[in-house]
Each structure stands twice: as C-alpha cells, then as structure tokens.
Amino acid sequence: MDCLQMVFKLFPNWKREAEVKKLGYKVHGDPFSTNTRRVLAVLHEKRLSYEPITVKLQTGEHKTEPFLSLNPFGQVPVFEDGSVKLYESRAITQYIAYVHSSRGTQLLNLRSHETMATLTMWMEIEAHQFDPPASKLTWEQVIKPIYGLETDQTIVKENEAILEKVLNIYEKRLEESRFLACNSFTLVDLHHLPNIQYLLGTPTKKLFEKRSKVRKWVDEITSREAWKMACDQEKSWFNKPRN
C-alpha cells in the first residue's frame, strides 16, 4: 500500500478534506470522462491531493453557468490552483508535471533540447494522430451505448483503419524504445491511457493485441498503480455535488 492509499484508508473524511483545502487544488470534471482521468492520473503519479468537484455531464451542466465562467468552451476538466485556472487536459498535465517535477514519477524528460523536443513531438502525435480515431471509437462503442444510442459500425470501421496505421508506426517505435518518447514512462504514455482503457473493453482491443510491442506497452502502462487509482471512482473521486 502506497502513501496516498494509506491516507485514504486512515484519514477520516473531515481530515482528508482539510488536507485537500490546504493544498488548494480543485478538479472540476467527471471521473468517467477521458479528459478528467488524464488529469487524475498525473495527480496520482505525483501523489498530490485535490478536491474533486463533480460536473454532471448527462444533465448538460458543463454547458451552463456557473461552469461556463470557468471554461467558456463548456468542456471538462477545469483545474484550479489558487488564482490559476486551466482547461484542456494536456495543458493541465504539463502544468502539474512542471510544478512538481521533483515529486513522484518523473513525467518530463528535459535533460537536453533533444529529449525535450522528442517528448513534445510525441505528445503532439498522441493529440493529433492517435486521439482523433481513438476518441471516435470510444464515443461510438462506449459512450453512445450509455446514452442508449446505436453504434455506427461504418464509423467504427473507418476509424479502426486509421488507428491501425498509427499503431503500425507505434509498433516500429517500440522496437527501439521501451516507451514512446524514451525508455522511461512520461506524459506521452500517460496521455494515451484514457482512450486505451476504454477501447480494451471493445472489439477494437484486437488492434492492440495483435502487435506484440504495442501489446507489451499497453500492458505495462495500464498496470500502473496511479492509473488504477485514477480509474477507481471510490479512490479518485469523492463524488461530492457542487456546492
């Protein structure tokens, strides 16, 4: 059991909330949202406390005030650190990783200009090459059924073909490196986790499994304790309604 788990287990709720308020971090979001989970994963990798504030996506709370005053684009999550208010999950993860670079897991590889550029390049690849088809596949196969909507198999087929091409490139890269940016786990790998986790519960899982290097990489990153915590609503989210 790690230190954060011990805190959750041993601290009464009022003490836990006092510790969170002392640190001052707030996460407005939904614990099942891929973008919210991306931020939670970094917080757990860094062993940081935070106050989770539930935004009810199914009722459209994110498209109304007072949430729109936090993020005028009406999307979760929003991260608050005192007067600093951030939205866009990848910007939030980088902020946390920079601020707490000496704490917990080292998620940035900034030893040189070259390593920094490689890290940034692969973060861009995740955001612009992997995420578009992966998000569409998650929406069609995971989210739409929750809302009682029918999965469009044509869209699934089209985006699996796109994702296959991306994973072919990943397979080649992972023959040279344990992780995508370098030989250690970084934000690059972490940013992939939310969509991968959901897709492992769908037929799209086969795309990851039939590539040996990709399969090994997926197994390693999804087995991280911080990620398991981020996916566990009881451990990562107090599920308190907005005051």
Side-chain angles (χ1 to χ4, degrees), residues 175-192:
E175 290 174 357
E176 307 166 353
S177 179
R178 180 178 172 186
F179 298 96
L180 286 175
C182 57
N183 282 317
S184 61
F185 180 80
T186 67
L187 283 181
V188 171
D189 310 290
L190 184 148
H191 285 177
H192 286 78

Side-chain angles (χ1 to χ4, degrees), residues 26-88:
K26 295 180 181 180
V27 180
H28 302 257
D30 182 296
F32 298 103
S33 151
T34 54
N35 292 328
T36 301
R37 282 188 176 182
R38 189 173 287 118
V39 172
L40 296 181
V42 174
L43 288 165
H44 287 299
E45 288 285 354
K46 293 295 184 181
R47 303 182 186 278
L48 295 168
S49 298
Y50 56 93
E51 178 184 358
I53 301 173
T54 302
V55 179
K56 298 175 182 176
L57 302 182
Q58 290 186 328
T59 64
E61 184 181 357
H62 56 307
K63 299 297 184 182
T64 62
E65 293 292 353
F67 184 78
L68 287 176
S69 64
L70 292 171
N71 182 356
F73 294 103
Q75 297 174 320
V76 297
V78 171
F79 179 80
E80 292 190 82
D81 177 11
S83 62
V84 176
K85 292 180 176 61
L86 299 173
Y87 36 89
E88 295 299 329

Side-chain angles (χ1 to χ4, degrees), residues 90-149:
R90 293 167 184 82
I92 297 168
T93 62
Q94 290 179 69
Y95 175 81
I96 296 168
Y98 275 113
V99 170
H100 298 283
S101 59
S102 62
R103 179 186 179 117
T105 306
Q106 179 55 257
L107 296 170
L108 298 168
N109 186 0
L110 306 179
R111 290 193 299 270
S112 69
H113 292 93
E114 290 82 3
T115 60
M116 180 181 68
T118 300
L119 182 81
T120 303
M121 178 185 74
W122 279 101
M123 284 196 288
E124 291 292 309
I125 290 169
E126 183 277 329
H128 299 292
Q129 303 297 330
F130 176 86
D131 188 75
S135 288
K136 288 176 183 176
L137 288 165
T138 297
W139 168 253
E140 287 294 333
Q141 298 177 99
V142 180
I143 308 302
K144 283 178 71 173
I146 292 174
Y147 287 90
L149 302 173

Side-chain angles (χ1 to χ4, degrees), residues 34 129-146 149-167 192 194-208 211:
T34 54
Q129 303 297 330
F130 176 86
D131 188 75
S135 288
K136 288 176 183 176
L137 288 165
T138 297
W139 168 253
E140 287 294 333
Q141 298 177 99
V142 180
I143 308 302
K144 283 178 71 173
I146 292 174
L149 302 173
E150 186 176 352
T151 296
D152 188 325
Q153 294 299 334
T154 299
I155 293 176
V156 169
K157 185 177 180 180
E158 290 173 352
N159 283 279
E160 282 191 339
I162 296 170
L163 185 59
E164 282 219 77
K165 293 179 181 178
V166 176
L167 293 180
H192 286 78
N195 278 311
I196 286 177
Q197 190 68 57
Y198 277 127
L199 291 177
L200 290 179
T202 74
T204 301
K205 177 181 180 180
K206 64 182 181 291
L207 303 187
F208 301 101
R211 294 166 173 83

